[in-house]
């Protein structure tokens, strides 16, 4: 899914999952296969850095707590670059992979998060506030804002790359809603295996709009069986061979 300079996708086995539009909202839907690991692809095509707050099933993919975008931790993505997030962050060196599993095995459920958010993967993108002008009528002072600070992470370099240039210091209904029901073929995102994924603290980042994202994405997920009741075209008549 792309909005302006930003894109957000779910990746399985190296391929971006096809997305189905939701007729009543700007959300899209993907088919989740139980037992499959996945990653989140964050794309920044703009000329400036962006901070991205990823959320799965109602909790932060960085600190595992319910998300308030105004003060949630975020990944900082360098200009005109992309970043792959493969799992729930454990520390600066590793993650637990995102894994589509049975609803009772969901990580958010284990944490006691509200169940109404299960089935949704979201991301909020924030542009960086331009630097304030420097007063030049005598001694130089840096003018700094005190708001909009985050605990930020930046991809650690494997080799020189654009994004490493920053210095270090229920299936859709007619209304588009979805609710988890233990009697249906629901899935949730589990806490998978440990995998190496190194990040570092990014240089200071101040959001241009601290409480209002410049772009928001919402991707719903459910099993293929749950989508079978959603018409995708004209029904095939009996005996038709094509």
């Amino acid at each position: 899914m792309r909005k302006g300079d930003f894109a957000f996708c779910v990746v399985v086995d190296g391929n971006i999952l096809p997305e189905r539009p939701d007729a009543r909202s700007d959300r899209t839907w993907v088919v989740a296969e139980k037992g499959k690991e996945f990653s989140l692809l964050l794309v920044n095509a703009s000329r400036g850095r962006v901070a991205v707050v990823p959320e799965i099933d109602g909790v932060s993919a960085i600190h595992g707590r319910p998300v308030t975008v105004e003060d949630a931790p975020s990944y900082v993505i360098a200009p005109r670059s992309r970043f792959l997030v493969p799992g729930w962050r454990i520390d600066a060196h590793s993650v637990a992979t995102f894994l589509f599993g049975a609803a009772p095995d969901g990580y958010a459920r284990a944490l006691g998060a509200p169940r109404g958010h299960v089935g949704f993967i979201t991301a909020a993108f924030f542009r960086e506030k331009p630097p304030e002008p420097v007063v030049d009528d005598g001694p130089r002072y840096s003018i700094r804002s005190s708001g909009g600070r985050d605990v930020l992470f930046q991809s650690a370099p494997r080799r020189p790359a654009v994004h490493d240039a920053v210095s270090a210091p229920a299936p859709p209904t007619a209304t588009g809603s979805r609710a988890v029901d233990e009697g249906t073929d629901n899935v949730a995102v589990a806490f998978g295996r440990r995998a190496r994924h190194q990040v570092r603290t990014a240089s200071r980042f101040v959001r241009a709009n601290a409480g209002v994202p410049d772009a928001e994405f919402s991707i719903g997920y459910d099993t293929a069986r749950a989508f079978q009741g959603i018409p995708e075209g004209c029904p095939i008549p009996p005996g038709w061979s094509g």
Side-chain angles (χ1 to χ4, degrees):
M1 182 191 302
R2 176 177 289 276
K3 293 182 179 180
D5 291 331
F6 312 121
F8 179 59
C9 311
V10 178
V11 178
V12 173
D13 293 334
N15 299 309
I16 295 175
L17 290 184
E19 298 177 15
R20 304 170 180 227
D22 189 314
R24 297 297 183 91
S25 72
D26 62 355
R27 175 181 294 127
T28 58
W29 294 84
V30 296
V31 174
E33 183 179 346
K34 290 181 181 180
K36 282 286 189 181
E37 294 178 344
F38 68 92
S39 299
L40 304 180
L41 178 62
L42 315 176
V43 180
N44 174 24
S46 76
R47 297 182 179 182
R49 295 194 305 174
V50 296
V52 184
V53 178
E55 173 188 348
I56 297 181
D57 295 346
V59 299
S60 166
I62 296 176
H63 65 18
R65 295 191 290 274
V67 170
T68 302
V69 295
E70 290 84 355
D71 56 8
S74 53
Y75 287 106
V76 173
I77 314 299
R80 295 179 175 174
S81 62
R82 61 183 62 190
F83 184 50
L84 201 63
V85 182
W88 305 97
R89 181 140 303 282
I90 297 174
D91 52 36
H93 309 288
S94 58
V95 297
T97 55
F98 297 133
L99 176 69
F100 288 127
D105 298 327
Y107 179 54
R109 178 171 178 170
L111 296 174
R115 293 174 57 198
H117 295 290
V118 173
F120 301 110
I121 303 171
T122 67
F125 284 66
F126 295 86
R127 296 183 189 272
E128 186 170 20
K129 183 178 181 179
E132 298 284 356
V134 175
V135 178
D136 196 19
D137 54 351
R140 294 184 175 231
Y141 299 96
S142 222
I143 301 176
R144 299 189 174 212
S145 169
S146 61
R149 291 194 182 186
D150 285 312
V151 178
L152 305 171
F153 294 96
Q154 172 69 32
S155 174
R158 291 188 294 272
R159 56 183 177 179
V162 174
H163 63 271
D164 293 325
V166 180
S167 62
T173 65
T175 61
S177 63
R178 181 187 186 283
V180 171
D181 179 352
E182 292 296 333
T184 64
D185 191 28
N186 290 127
V187 289
V189 179
F191 206 72
R193 62 183 175 86
R194 181 186 288 268
R196 184 170 178 79
H197 185 258
Q198 191 167 352
V199 295
R200 60 183 180 177
T201 302
S203 58
R204 184 175 183 268
F205 186 103
V206 179
R207 299 176 183 180
N209 297 295
V212 182
D214 293 281
E216 290 185 281
F217 297 85
S218 179
I219 299 175
Y221 65 86
D222 210 328
T223 61
R225 188 170 77 178
F227 285 107
Q228 289 176 358
I230 303 174
E232 295 186 329
C234 299
I236 305 301
W240 185 79
S241 61

